[in-house]
Amino acid sequence: MTHSVPNAGPVSSGQESSVQESSQKDSLVKTPVVVCRGVKRIYQQDSVPVHALRGVDLEIQEGEFVSLAGPSGSGKSTLLNSIGGLDGFDAGTVTVGGTDLGALNSAELAELRLHKIGFVFQAYNLIPVLSAQENVEFILQLQGVPSQQRRERATEALASLGLGDLAHRRPGELSGGQQQRVATARAIVTKPVLLLADEPTANLDSKTTSELLEVLQQLNQQQGMTIVTATHDPIVMGFTSRQVAMLDGEIHQDTGSTG
Amino acid sequence: MSTLVLLFNLSLRNILRYRRRNFFLFAAIAVAVGGTTLSNSLIRGWQVSMLETAVSGLTGHIKLQAPGFADDPSLQRAFSSDTQISLSQQIPVAGVTQRINLPAVISSERETRGVALVGVVPTQEDISLYRDLEIEGEGLTGANDGRLLIGKALAQTLQTRVGRRVVIIVQGADGKSRERGYRVSGVFDAPMRWPEKVLVFTGLDALQGTLAGDGLRDPITEISVVLSNEGDRAAAAAELAAAHPSLIVQDWRQMQPQIAEIVDMVEGVMVIWFFLIMSGLTFGLVNTLIASVMQRTQELGMLRALGMNKRLLLVQVVLECVGIMIVGVVAGLALGIVMVLALGDGIDLSAFSESVEAIGISTLLRPVLTVEDLLLFGGLSVLVGFFASYFPARRALKISPLMAMNR
């Protein structure tokens, strides 16, 4: 099953031109969307320091579809959280879309997440009291998008993911796959610079997993959306253009940028 | 504004989401607010009753007497019934009455008692407790009626009844005692016991005739003024004092300072009582609201992860708490009003008449509900809701966006 993805590309005109460059497969140098330099993260667990990230260096170019893979405790989710501004880091620098996350306070990080990053969570994390349409509109409303425009964009995003008929259902009335697609619609409706997905298919069966991955692949290939997903599922890795394997808080293997 | 509508909508749906839990929460708030409304209406009723008792018990809002009469009540300290009472138009007056009010001794064939002999103009006494008397036999027909109206309790003590004769001994204007036989025209039953024991009414003109001497013609010992509004009391007293410098002008608060203190204290009692009830409720409310936030840790973390800042999260939690409180308070006020209406006839305290008279109220305690009280306690309840929301809101603010990643 495939879904046509509408014009949900990056916000800036620079990004739009970059998408065109990508589709034309020319050889111009792309802009890095994510740059991690010497990122370290240490947790205290019962007074014992746990080195979740041990100086990670990673650069993700615009339009890449990257999987962060590795066993539990490898640091893939920690790295994803640091890139998404959900968690801090103890050393190094992380820049997203040119913004140094280490220089931002909590409110500025919230603004960055709201305007530049889309999230797809393993547990879907939809607001249970809102319909699919309202869930997608919610984030636009936080951005202050006018109601008419909000409605149109949410409808378009849901339709692009094959959920046009289910727009008025609440999460409890949708299957897991449908909920994850609503969550994806919510993540892309703001046209983020970066889409982060944390184990997005972990709760889905193989058929639904494939359907969701096709959607993400289309977003990446047709719209040039930069996607980073943390996963330990080989099927997911098969859909991505670049695989980064992590082990013990370090990058163990990187297939490298395909751009 | 759009964001506020969004948060309001979200809060409303979250309230409806946990219908069962919130129903019990609403019920607890409603019962507490309703119970407080009822109890405060009874306390307010007690206050009003004390005020009415103080004013209607022959005192009025303001009383004019001759200097020294309060210390030595005799007809030698009387003044002329020609004294005119007039107040500026801004101060509406409910009524003015002239009286002779003197200590006397009443004797029947069997008993003798000290009483207050009160000469009244019955048509002027619709501003005093006189109007509420339930009379067995006949009331006084006018100021010229030379018969006596005595209380039921006094009649029992004297072992007399309607139509029988009693003797009154009272000091005349010349300082000499006058002794005269009177026929009992009626026996009255008063809302309180003390008037039945102490007060003996007769016609003012008739009493003036009995006590006449070489002094004043048509003497009186007091003028009682009842105002339409208690709030005008001080201004009216000042005007009367200026207009009648030869008389002592006192208001009921000066004449009954203990009652005045209790009336003032009631305001404080109501607020203290309200906060006692509401503080108990607040603990339960805070506990439930914190549980509600804890239950939605991942959801609230997700909102933070998506980019909702702390301020908006705070507003959302506060809106939920205050929303629950407002619904509960409105239901509680409605419940309170219904209970007050159900008690409209008042609570009969006649079984405890001696005790209730000691605190200056009538034996029928009627609840009094004012719009001001409803607004005050409704508003204070919502403020309590704001206060209660502080703790769950503080908890919500500690939720990290990372909580959204919990699986």
Side-chain angles (χ1 to χ4, degrees), chain B residues 223-241:
Chain B
I223 296 176
S224 179
V225 181
V226 174
L227 306 169
S228 299
N229 306 313
E230 156 71 12
D232 293 332
R233 178 177 36 79
E239 273 192 27
L240 290 172

Side-chain angles (χ1 to χ4, degrees), chain A residues 204-222:
Chain A
L204 305 179
D205 59 36
S206 58
K207 180 172 176 286
T208 320
T209 294
S210 296
E211 286 174 4
L212 182 73
L213 289 170
E214 282 169 13
V215 167
L216 294 177
Q217 200 169 48
Q218 281 182 16
L219 282 168
N220 172 251
Q221 291 177 350
Q222 294 178 10

Side-chain angles (χ1 to χ4, degrees), chain B residues 141-303:
Chain B
T141 53
N144 291 319
D145 194 330
R147 298 175 297 168
L148 289 187
L149 196 56
I150 66 173
K152 192 174 171 184
L154 181 62
Q156 285 168 350
T157 303
L158 296 175
Q159 298 177 44
T160 188
R161 61 178 188 269
V162 175
R164 300 287 288 270
R165 289 181 68 83
V166 291
V167 174
I168 293 278
I169 303 170
V170 62
Q171 194 179 43
D174 53 8
K176 294 178 182 172
S177 291
R178 300 279 199 284
E179 183 174 324
R180 192 194 144 187
Y182 287 84
R183 189 168 300 280
V184 176
S185 72
V187 172
F188 67 81
D189 199 345
M192 301 177 76
R193 286 278 285 179
W194 73 264
E196 288 184 26
K197 289 179 178 175
V198 174
L199 298 181
V200 173
F201 295 103
T202 187
L204 176 63
D205 292 352
L207 186 58
Q208 285 169 336
T210 302
L211 302 176
D214 296 334
L216 279 172
R217 186 173 157 269
D218 298 335
I220 55 174
T221 63
E222 66 185 40
I223 296 176
S224 179
V225 181
V226 174
L227 306 169
S228 299
N229 306 313
E230 156 71 12
D232 293 332
R233 178 177 36 79
E239 273 192 27
L240 290 172
H244 303 282
S246 61
L247 297 175
I248 300 296
V249 178
Q250 286 184 301
D251 65 19
W252 70 267
R253 294 181 71 90
Q254 292 168 306
M255 301 183 77
Q256 302 183 67
Q258 285 174 323
I259 297 288
E261 279 182 20
I262 295 173
V263 166
D264 292 345
M265 192 181 69
V266 164
E267 301 287 342
V269 168
M270 287 173 73
V271 174
I272 290 169
W273 177 240
F274 169 81
F275 277 110
L276 277 177
I277 296 281
M278 294 310 283
S279 59
L281 176 70
T282 303
F283 285 110
L285 189 62
V286 167
N287 187 44
T288 308
L289 294 174
I290 286 180
S292 167
V293 166
M294 297 295 284
Q295 193 176 356
R296 292 184 290 140
T297 298
Q298 186 174 358
E299 188 180 316
L300 295 172
M302 179 269 294
L303 295 177

Side-chain angles (χ1 to χ4, degrees), chain B residues 49-110:
Chain B
S49 176
M50 276 194 297
L51 186 61
E52 282 178 354
T53 303
V55 171
S56 68
L58 303 188
T59 304
H61 283 107
I62 298 163
K63 188 176 270 190
L64 292 85
Q65 293 172 321
F69 183 83
D71 298 324
D72 181 15
S74 74
L75 206 57
Q76 290 168 312
R77 290 177 177 78
F79 56 100
S80 171
S81 60
D82 293 337
T83 305
Q84 294 296 313
I85 296 297
S86 65
L87 285 164
S88 55
Q89 283 190 332
Q90 294 90 335
I91 303 175
V93 175
V96 176
T97 184
Q98 297 182 331
R99 302 187 190 108
I100 286 177
N101 187 343
L102 292 171
V105 172
I106 186 168
S107 298
S108 66
E109 299 93 329
R110 300 177 190 275

